[in-house]
Amino acid sequence: MNAHGQTFVIVGAGLAGAKAAETLREEGFDGRLILIGEEPERPYERPPLSKEYLRAETEQKPFVHERGFYAENDIELWTSTRVTGIEPGLNELLLEGDRRQGFDRLLLTTGAVPRRLDVPGANLDGVHYLRTVGDSERIARRISSGERLAVVGSGWIGAEVAASARQKGSEVTMLEMSSLPLERVLGPEVGTIYRDIHRDHGVEFIPETTVERFEGSDAVERVITSAGAEIETSFVVVGIGVMPRVGLLETAGLRVDNGILVDESLQTSLPGVYAAGDIANARHPLYERHLRIEHWANALNQGPAAARSMLDHEVSYDEIPYFFSDQYETGMEYGGYALDWDEVVFRGDVAAREFIAFWLQDERVVAGMNMNVWDVNEQVRDLIRSEERVDRRRLIDPDVALEELVGQEAGCS
Ligand SMILES: Cc1cc2nc3c(=O)[nH]c(=O)nc-3n(C[C@H](O)[C@H](O)[C@H](O)COP(=O)(O)OP(=O)(O)OC[C@H]3O[C@@H](n4cnc5c(N)ncnc54)[C@H](O)[C@@H]3O)c2cc1C
């Protein structure tokens, strides 16, 4: 494709958008390149916002690129600019303030927003959500003064905020709808490990509870649970998942179903329009279904893949999903995608929280998580990608290198 003289626009100046812009220039795109974001900052990474940045261990905002990067690479970065609509027939974007911007190719990287809790008192002061640098700074001020926190939801955001708050000395109560933290993704075996980690650090974990309402005069003072319990608190962080930001897209004629539907090359149903990152529900060649992945590595890798696709390179995005989490002194990495499994087996020392957990289905590894064991997740993902049956005994034997398990299918008993 000769993109000379063309205008490529990226809507959504987060990690996926910023990495896509970088890749377009690296791949030699020399047309006009505009990166539009509604936040006031240049693109930054979100994982530190529930970890070291939240604990105020660093004042450095976790920017994706140095300040001068965008100008040096002739990338027009329009911050504090919201796109309000797309007119695909005209290849035009509508911007706040009745402005319009044309495009030859468009990449949507609009990410996700926290799901809101719709209960009485949800709008009281002191009920927080965490997505942006500003959110993180507001919560950081509360935890640095050791105020009492109630966390609603014990998914990744809730669990990491609870850990950071405990590390800063807050009393923390965690309310969870199911019986264990992170149970939906990890299942009961590893969910139990996370529950115990939080309890060991003094978090009061309340399972099988939903919020009936928040009460307080000016600001939130207590949470009333579905069981009628009253939990006194100084502030609340709600972490009950995110929703893809499809608002501006639905009228544009794009196929939307749990995010923007894209094919393996990250193209939407409209010619010349692509999507990547948290917003994209992408057909995965290995899993033979659409996956919407809300993790850092997906934004990091899918943005560049979409950029190549915009330049008509042959792209089939087939990365095995990967994410990481840090809570207290416990770090983990998870590779794979598992909705169902037959069993979870462990290699290493579960009691010491140094192990690899494998999710097995039909004797094949469909996901693997290393906790406080490092430099193994790539091998875990190789095992998953191989789709080979594994010898369970050798899988859990720490003396057998994981590399040895790939290509061994014939030897399985
Ligand atoms: C607190 C926190 C901690 C996390 N920790 C981890 C972790 O430990 N490990 C992990 O794997 N993942 C983690 N994640 C998830 C990871 O950060 C996300 O998957 C990643 O940020 C997705 O990047 P993205 O570029 O697709 O979207 P986003 O980061 O959401 O960026 C999208 C951008 O588009 C902008 N935008 C949206 N609509 C418009 C519009 N109409 N006009 C203009 N701009 C618009 C938004 O304002 C936003 O800046 C964490 C997320 C959060 C919030």
Side-chain angles (χ1 to χ4, degrees):
M1 170 206 194
N2 181 6
H4 185 68
Q6 294 211 341
T7 298
F8 282 13
V9 179
I10 303 171
V11 179
L15 179 60
K19 294 306 279 186
E22 177 190 314
T23 303
L24 282 168
R25 286 302 186 222
E26 273 173 9
E27 295 285 352
F29 173 65
D30 65 357
R32 188 172 178 202
L33 179 51
I34 307 173
L35 173 58
I36 306 178
E38 69 174 4
E39 294 190 59
E41 291 89 0
R42 67 181 189 272
Y44 59 86
E45 306 202 10
R46 298 186 197 275
L49 305 185
S50 49
K51 308 178 185 71
E52 61 272 22
Y53 194 75
L54 184 65
R55 296 192 297 271
E57 289 165 6
T58 169
E59 285 181 8
Q60 292 290 322
K61 288 184 185 167
F63 291 119
V64 179
H65 295 110
E66 296 293 315
R67 182 180 298 281
F69 171 85
Y70 301 94
E72 278 156 26
N73 287 281
D74 199 14
I75 298 165
E76 294 176 43
L77 174 62
W78 297 0
T79 53
S80 303
T81 306
R82 199 159 74 85
V83 173
T84 55
I86 306 172
E87 297 215 33
L90 300 173
N91 275 26
E92 259 187 357
L93 293 173
L94 308 175
L95 311 180
E96 245 173 1
D98 273 348
R99 286 191 297 149
R100 286 169 179 265
Q101 174 59 51
F103 60 85
D104 292 293
R105 293 216 164 159
L106 173 67
L107 172 60
L108 298 165
T109 49
T110 47
V113 279
R115 194 180 292 281
R116 299 264 149 180
L117 199 58
D118 183 18
V119 296
N123 293 326
L124 281 169
D125 262 7
V127 177
H128 296 263
Y129 294 82
L130 176 53
R131 185 75 189 177
T132 65
V133 152
D135 297 335
S136 177
E137 289 170 356
R138 277 184 286 277
I139 299 168
R141 282 195 285 278
R142 310 296 298 252
I143 64 173
S144 65
S145 45
E147 293 179 56
R148 205 184 156 80
L149 166 66
V151 176
V152 180
S154 62
W156 299 110
I157 298 289
E160 288 193 352
V161 169
S164 287
R166 281 301 298 141
Q167 284 169 286
K168 296 295 283 185
S170 285
E171 294 295 311
V172 179
T173 303
M174 202 194 262
L175 305 169
E176 170 56 45
M177 203 163 73
S178 63
S179 45
L180 291 162
L182 301 159
E183 190 176 11
R184 190 177 54 82
V185 184
L186 303 179
E189 298 86 349
V190 180
T192 302
I193 294 170
Y194 270 106
R195 181 200 60 198
D196 294 346
I197 288 172
H198 282 280
R199 283 193 171 157
D200 289 354
H201 286 84
V203 170
E204 184 189 8
F205 179 74
I206 308 184
E208 287 158 10
T209 310
T210 54
V211 175
E212 190 70 28
R213 62 185 184 277
F214 298 113
E215 286 183 354
S217 34
D218 292 329
V220 66
E221 290 166 21
R222 72 195 70 83
V223 184
I224 312 297
T225 72
S226 48
E230 293 190 14
I231 296 154
E232 298 296 321
T233 195
S234 312
F235 72 113
V236 171
V237 176
V238 180
I240 54 170
V242 296
M243 293 183 310
R245 289 193 66 171
V246 290
L248 74 107
L249 314 164
E250 268 158 336
T251 52
L254 285 161
R255 282 185 61 213
V256 171
D257 178 12
N258 179 29
I260 305 171
L261 286 174
V262 292
D263 64 14
E264 296 172 7
S265 69
L266 308 172
Q267 296 201 53
T268 69
S269 54
L270 290 175
V273 182
Y274 302 75
D278 277 14
I279 186 72
N281 191 2
R283 172 96 190 153
H284 197 289
L286 188 69
Y287 295 103
E288 296 180 341
R289 52 164 292 177
H290 281 82
L291 297 185
R292 194 172 67 75
I293 305 292
E294 299 162 350
H295 294 301
W296 172 87
N298 185 60
L300 183 78
N301 296 319
Q302 217 175 45
R308 290 188 191 97
S309 197
M310 290 170 88
L311 294 168
D312 288 343
H313 296 195
E314 208 155 296
V315 169
S316 176
Y317 186 80
D318 67 352
E319 295 279 336
I320 302 279
Y322 163 90
F323 62 88
F324 60 92
S325 176
D326 297 319
Q327 297 169 40
Y328 313 101
E329 63 290 330
T330 309
M332 69 77 113
E333 296 172 289
Y334 177 103
Y337 180 78
L339 293 177
D340 298 306
W341 54 86
D342 303 325
E343 61 173 333
V344 183
V345 297
F346 293 89
R347 158 190 289 233
D349 189 341
V350 175
R353 292 165 186 158
E354 282 179 18
F355 61 83
I356 311 176
F358 298 97
W359 282 257
L360 294 178
Q361 189 174 40
D362 299 331
E363 297 173 56
R364 293 173 173 85
V365 177
V366 289
M369 179 187 117
N370 43 299
M371 179 176 275
N372 286 349
V373 172
W374 302 109
D375 301 324
V376 292
N377 202 268
E378 249 174 68
Q379 292 89 309
V380 170
R381 279 174 281 156
D382 286 343
L383 262 178
I384 297 168
R385 186 176 292 284
S386 78
E387 296 184 318
E388 286 179 21
R389 285 186 304 134
V390 289
D391 180 337
R392 192 179 179 287
R393 271 180 305 113
R394 301 186 78 220
L395 183 66
I396 61 174
D397 181 351
D399 293 331
V400 177
L402 291 176
E403 293 88 334
E404 286 180 29
L405 296 164
V406 181
Q408 298 291 302
E409 186 160 31
C412 286
S413 48

